[in-house]
Structures are given as C-alpha cells and as structure tokens.
C-alpha cells in the first residue's frame, strides 16, 4: 500500500476528514427529508451501524425547513445535498447542517454563492463539490468529451469559483459509473490538488454488482494512497452501503471490524451452511464494534480448523452438525439446530471475556442473584425448593462479577432447566442464552430438555428452539408454560 497522500483537514460535525484521519464512511438517506420521523429513524439506523457522515436530499423549501427538527434531534454529522437554489443552502446552514454538497457553477448567481460562502465561513461549514458524468457543462464536454479529463476540468471550474471568494474549506468528489474512468479521474485530480477527496462510483448498481464495482475502484485508489472519505452507492437499503464500505476498508486494513471467513463449499458439506454463514455475518456486522475477531464458517472437518487456524473462533461442518473450534483447537460438537445460537453466544463470550462456571451446590452468589431478580424484582416468595439440592448450577461472570445464573437437574428420565435469571443491566447482551447453552451442554445426549417458562419469557425459549407442550399452569399468580427441546 502506498503512503497516503496528505490532504487538507476538513471538519464535518465531530468528524475530521483528510490528513491522517481515518477514512470516514458515508451514506445517504432515501426517505423524503420533509418526512422528519422517517428520516430521523433512518439516520439513527445508519449511525448505529457505523456511518460517520449522512447526506440528505433537499429538493425544496419544505425539505430545507425540516432540517431544523432533524439537526436538533439527530445527533449525527449531516450533509445537505442541494442543487440550483442558493436559498435552500442558506436555510440548511441556519438549521445547523454540518456540511453542504453543492456545485457552485450550478447555483446560477454569483451573489447567491457569495451569501453561501459568507455563512459557511461564519459557521465553519465545508462544501463538497460533487462532479459526475452527468454534471459536465456543454462547453467542457465539447472540448474534452465525458472522460476523466472532463470530470477534473469540471471540478476545477467549481473550485475556482470558491477559491476566488477566498474559500478553501472544500471536499471534492469526481464520480463516474465506469470503474476505469473513476480511477483515472481521481488519480488526475489527486496529482493537481490537495483538497480531501470523497471516493465513490456513481450509479454503481444493485448490492451485488455495485459492491463489486465499488470495491475495485475504491480499493485501487485507497491502496494507492488516494481517498479521505467514501460512499458505496447502491440501489439498496442505505445500511448495506455502510456494510459494503466497512468490508472494503477492512479488507485493506483501514477499518477494524469483526471478520467472517467461509469456504465456498463442495460435495463434502453435509449441513446447511449458507444460511448459517449469512446469519453470522449479519450478526457480526450488527455488533458495530471496533474489536478485531475472525470467525470461520467452514463446510467440513477436512479443511475446517486447518484452513481457518488463524480464526479466533469457528465451526466445521459434519453430518447435520458442526464442530466448534477455538484458535484451531476443536472444543465440542453443536447440533445443527443449535449452531446459530451457540456460535453467536461464543462470539459474545469471546468479545466480552466472559467466564462460565459450574457449581454442584447453591452458593451465596447464586442465592443473591435469584433473590435480587425473582424475589426483590419480580415479587415471587417461594424461590428456593428441594430441587436445589440435586441441581447443577451455572454462573456467568465478567471480570469476576456474576451476571446471571441457572440450574439443571435430572428427573423422570428428563433434564429440567430453570431458574435462569440475569441482572437487569446485562439482559440485552445474550447472557440468558449463554446460560441456557451452558446448561444444555451439561446434559447428556438422548434425553428431552424441559423448561418451565414464565409467560414473559416464552419468546426467549422459542428463539432458542424450545417448543410448547400441552401443559401450562399458574405459580404464584404467574402463568407458566412447559416447553421442550
């Protein structure tokens, strides 16, 4: 990888682009901006999935005025995309936008540009000049055609308007739908200017074709030291643009994220690997963390742990099952129905350095957990019973702090799992599912697993592949269902 070109640094909200700052990921909402509720919802989704800068289309005055509410509530780095009407840009600036995307030459009036520049200087708001194949004026097209030189010349024309007004807080994009033209244009521009560049292939296509075209163009440019912020333009959900951008950057070590590796499969594969790989990849992306973890989903035991020995965690398929391995060492077997849940749990255990311990008696820690949750919080009175004398208990710890517990005992040729409880602050972190997994692993194969689920907990057990039997009852005025796996 070539050394990155040192461009000017530009501030967009709380994100800096250019210089040695990280490559910022961008996307654009596809809601109507005037639909404030829908736009805010999509902004939040993009932000939560790792989007650094979010652009909004401002088509009319109603869109521009909606920015007052959006900017006040979004807590995100927002760009207003405006064409032709300088008054919309002035409203956007007053509303609190963090960046403008305009082409000065298309505004029409130099007086309008002067007003925009004056307000941008006052608020320290950068302007992105966005040139693409469809925005080249007739004079430049007549002279240079629509190739890379024409794109750069068009950018130069817009830049000069701002520079003549002593404005230099500029970002530039030069996009084409052609990969080769895009690369040539950015390389030519980069040899002439030190403004930070926003990389992208315009009208790239659907998720599949657009991601590939963008990966080729953006990957080439980034490997050659060109690029400060990127957008992967897809005909798809904008969140998928963020995922694609993260994959491109991660593949060349410019972004830290969880990584999934998987084999292409062959006739040796004896389990339904594709939906598992897709679900685990989706899960890793949803974590939106900067921790590095490599997870492997492999087709068979022949190549699994060997080819993926550099993976932190992984599975290698067997006949309707998979072997779970850690750092290349096989740990245990997962039945196919458990693979997705168990592998997700193992990922959370790894990322959070959780510890699982088994006990053969009711310890003070277990008593305290059950008292806090079942008695103090939920109001039950008869929490402890005779089955505590014959149960095996599980406790999950983080940094020696117990987060939750559960028990398992054998009676009437069945394993009974229950008293699963998790501290309130840990309930969104799969701790309950991890406890359930640990209890199930303690049971011998070939026997039914039975749980007595509170009405409020039945969906949790359904997600963990338990099914209702025909038994239900009330215990201390709380409806319970018997469920079996």
């Amino acid at each position: 990888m070539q050394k990155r070109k040192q461009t000017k640094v530009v501030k967009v909200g709380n994100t800096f682009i250019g210089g040695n700052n990280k490559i910022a990921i961008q996307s654009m909402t596809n809601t109507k901006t005037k639909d404030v509720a829908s736009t805010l919802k999509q902004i939040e989704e993009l932000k939560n999935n790792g989007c650094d800068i979010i652009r909004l289309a401002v088509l009319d005055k109603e869109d521009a005025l909606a920015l007052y509410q959006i900017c006040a509530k979004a807590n995100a780095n927002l760009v207003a995309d405006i064409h032709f009407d300088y008054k919309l840009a002035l409203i956007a600036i007053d509303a609190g936008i963090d960046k403008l995307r305009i082409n000065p030459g298309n505004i029409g009036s130099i007086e309008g540009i002067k007003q925009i520049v004056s307000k941008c200087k006052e608020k320290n708001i950068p302007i992105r000049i966005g040139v693409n194949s469809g925005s080249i004026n007739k004079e430049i097209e007549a002279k240079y055609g629509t190739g890379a030189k024409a794109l750069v010349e068009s950018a130069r024309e817009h830049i000069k308007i701002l520079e003549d007004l002593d404005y230099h807080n500029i970002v530039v994009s030069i996009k084409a739908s052609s990969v080769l033209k895009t690369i040539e244009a950015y390389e030519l521009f980069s040899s002439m200017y030190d403004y930070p560049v926003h990389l992208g292939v315009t009208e790239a296509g659907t998720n599949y074709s657009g991601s590939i075209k963008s990966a080729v163009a953006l990957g080439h440019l980034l490997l050659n030291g060109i690029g400060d912020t990127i957008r992967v333009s897809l005909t798809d959900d904008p969140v998928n643009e963020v995922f694609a951008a993260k994959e491109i950057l991660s593949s060349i070590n410019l972004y830290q994220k969880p990584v999934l590796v998987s084999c292409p499969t062959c006739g040796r594969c004896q389990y339904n690997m594709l939906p598992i790989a897709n679900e685990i990849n989706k899960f890793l992306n949803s974590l939106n963390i900067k921790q590095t973890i490599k997870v492997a989903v492999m087709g068979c035991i022949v190549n699994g742990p060997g080819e993926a020995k550099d993976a932190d965690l992984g599975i290698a398929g067997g006949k309707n099952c998979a072997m779970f391995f850690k750092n290349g060492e096989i740990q245990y077997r997962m039945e196919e129905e458990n693979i997705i849940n168990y592998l997700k749990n193992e990922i959370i255990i790894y990322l959070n350095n959780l510890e699982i311990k088994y006990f053969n008696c009711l310890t003070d820690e277990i008593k305290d957990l059950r008292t806090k949750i079942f008695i103090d919080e939920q109001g039950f009175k008869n929490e402890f019973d005779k089955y505590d004398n014959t149960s095996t208990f599980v406790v999950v710890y983080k940094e020696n702090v117990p987060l939750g517990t559960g028990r398992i005992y054998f009676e009437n040729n069945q394993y009974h799992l229950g008293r699963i409880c998790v501290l309130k602050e840990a309930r969104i972190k799969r701790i309950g599912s991890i406890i359930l997994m640990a209890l199930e692993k303690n049971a011998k194969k070939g026997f039914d697993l039975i749980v007595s689920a509170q009405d409020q907990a039945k969906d949790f057990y359904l997600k963990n592949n338990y099914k209702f039997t025909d038994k239900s009852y009330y215990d201390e005025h709380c409806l319970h269902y018997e469920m079996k796996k």
Side-chain angles (χ1 to χ4, degrees), residues 270-290:
Q270 298 182 76
Y271 77 122
N272 195 11
M273 177 185 151
L274 181 58
I276 294 170
N278 285 335
E279 180 62 25
I280 297 302
N281 188 54
K282 181 181 177 182
F283 177 71
L284 289 171
N285 280 326
S286 73
L287 296 175
N288 192 25
I289 57 172
K290 299 297 177 68

Side-chain angles (χ1 to χ4, degrees), residues 263-465:
C263 71
T265 78
C266 66
R268 288 193 296 265
C269 188
Q270 298 182 76
Y271 77 122
N272 195 11
M273 177 185 151
L274 181 58
I276 294 170
N278 285 335
E279 180 62 25
I280 297 302
N281 188 54
K282 181 181 177 182
F283 177 71
L284 289 171
N285 280 326
S286 73
L287 296 175
N288 192 25
I289 57 172
K290 299 297 177 68
Q291 286 174 264
T292 56
I293 179 175
K294 182 179 283 189
V295 179
V297 177
M298 307 299 284
C300 71
I301 200 68
V302 174
N303 295 327
E307 287 189 1
K309 62 185 176 183
D310 64 334
D312 300 298
L313 309 173
I315 57 169
K319 187 173 183 180
N320 303 318
C321 69
M323 302 305 295
F324 172 71
F325 58 88
K326 186 175 181 179
N327 298 321
E329 299 293 327
I330 293 176
Q331 305 293 309
Y332 64 92
R333 168 186 168 132
M334 298 176 175
E335 298 302 322
E336 188 161 1
E337 67 171 350
N338 293 327
I339 290 174
I340 289 175
N341 269 334
Y342 278 21
L343 188 50
K344 286 180 179 180
N345 290 340
E346 294 289 357
I347 290 167
I348 295 300
I349 291 168
Y350 180 90
L351 290 172
N352 291 279
N353 296 312
L354 300 180
E355 186 179 8
I356 298 171
K357 292 183 180 180
Y358 292 89
F359 299 91
N360 291 321
C361 64
L362 194 65
T363 67
D364 289 340
E365 283 184 333
I366 296 169
K367 289 178 182 177
D368 287 345
L369 283 167
R370 285 167 55 176
T371 298
K372 283 180 183 176
I373 296 159
F374 289 124
I375 297 177
D376 297 343
E377 182 183 329
Q378 297 184 7
F380 290 98
K381 296 178 181 178
N382 303 315
E383 166 53 25
F384 302 98
D385 58 28
K386 65 180 182 178
Y387 298 111
D388 285 327
N389 298 323
T390 57
S391 291
T392 297
F393 302 90
V394 165
V395 180
V396 174
Y397 296 86
K398 181 175 175 62
E399 298 175 352
N400 296 319
V401 176
L403 302 179
T405 185
R407 75 179 184 187
I408 182 171
Y409 61 88
F410 191 72
E411 184 181 67
N412 297 328
N413 221 32
Q414 296 174 322
Y415 282 99
H416 295 261
L417 293 71
R419 295 301 198 267
I420 295 173
C421 59
V422 180
L423 292 176
K424 189 177 293 186
E425 58 269 26
R427 286 176 194 165
I428 61 172
K429 301 175 182 176
R430 294 190 69 88
I431 304 301
S433 186
I434 290 168
I435 293 168
L436 187 60
M437 176 182 76
L439 293 172
E440 290 174 355
K441 285 164 64 176
N442 189 258
K444 292 180 180 179
K445 302 300 180 188
F447 296 94
D448 286 339
L449 304 175
I450 303 295
V451 297
S452 182
Q454 293 182 31
D455 183 57
Q456 66 178 8
K458 63 182 184 295
D459 289 341
F460 163 76
Y461 288 106
L462 288 169
K463 289 178 182 177
N464 284 274
N465 299 313

Side-chain angles (χ1 to χ4, degrees), residues 201-225:
V201 177
T202 192
E203 301 163 3
T206 58
N207 197 336
Y208 176 75
S209 60
S211 295
I212 292 173
K213 288 172 70 174
S214 297
V216 173
L218 275 57
H220 173 92
L221 291 164
L222 291 165
L223 286 167
N224 283 280

